[in-house]
Amino acid sequence: MITQLFRRKKELTFERSYPAPITAVWDAWTRPELLRQWWGPEDTTVTDAEVELHVGGRLYLVMEAGEGMGKYQGTRWPMAGTFTHIEQHRHLAYEARSWTEGEEETTTIEHVNDVRFAEDGNETTVNLRITIVEIGSGAKMAAFGMRWGYKAQLDKLGAHLAATGPDVA
């Protein structure tokens, strides 16, 4: 059944609004030291973060599973991408691949990410669209769990923005 779910491209879409200025939300998505604070689902940490914020620039993050991830504790999931579109405070797009460290040949998921930002008063709305274009034979369950992971990640972004306040991202 899961195999049938991924025979063609799959799209995930999310929309979240945060009570924060667009500059704070943009910074949270584009500054490595801030990405380390919220990227990934619960019980993961970002051990490596690099952002070259220009078209053709590199985005590289490594998530590591913590104790709360049970049998996956210590597992590392790199993501390497290339920015394809940048419009400051409005739009980010990048092509990326994610995999389980040590199992790249079978666990790679290739995806295209489109992130749009819109400010209305004191609130910023993020629209995130992820198109999964290819899934390695050993990554079908990981791809299936991407919706849950991104939901949790966007929750963490909200907590990060609430903790840092409107003036400090």
Side-chain angles (χ1 to χ4, degrees), residues 17-108:
S17 294
Y18 302 102
I22 202 165
T23 53
V25 180
W26 175 266
D27 286 350
W29 276 89
T30 59
R31 290 177 41 192
E33 71 276 16
L34 299 178
L35 282 166
R36 287 176 188 267
Q37 297 175 29
W38 67 271
W39 189 271
E42 290 297 322
D43 297 313
T44 62
T45 57
V46 173
T47 60
D48 303 292
E50 299 172 28
V51 176
E52 298 171 1
L53 194 58
H54 59 86
V55 173
R58 174 182 156 111
L59 171 64
Y60 181 74
L61 299 166
V62 178
M63 292 187 308
E64 184 172 312
E67 186 177 337
M69 296 288 277
K71 69 180 183 181
Y72 296 105
Q73 182 179 4
T75 301
R76 294 169 47 93
W77 296 288
M79 180 187 83
T82 302
F83 288 106
T84 57
H85 184 93
I86 297 172
E87 185 180 342
Q88 187 173 19
H89 300 152
R90 298 284 175 227
H91 184 198
L92 283 175
Y94 55 93
E95 297 174 350
R97 57 189 181 84
S98 304
W99 66 94
T100 301
E101 194 170 81
E103 301 173 23
E104 186 172 352
E105 188 172 312
T106 58
T107 64
T108 297

Side-chain angles (χ1 to χ4, degrees), residues 109-154:
I109 299 171
E110 294 184 18
H111 44 103
V112 177
N113 304 270
D114 188 271
V115 191
R116 295 177 188 261
F117 305 84
E119 188 172 46
D120 185 12
N122 295 326
E123 187 171 275
T124 299
T125 299
V126 174
N127 284 291
L128 170 62
R129 186 179 71 227
I130 301 150
T131 304
I132 301 171
V133 294
E134 191 165 330
I135 301 169
S137 62
K140 290 180 176 42
M141 287 305 293
F144 188 73
M146 285 178 77
R147 178 170 298 280
W148 166 82
Y150 274 98
K151 282 183 178 179
Q153 180 169 300
L154 292 171

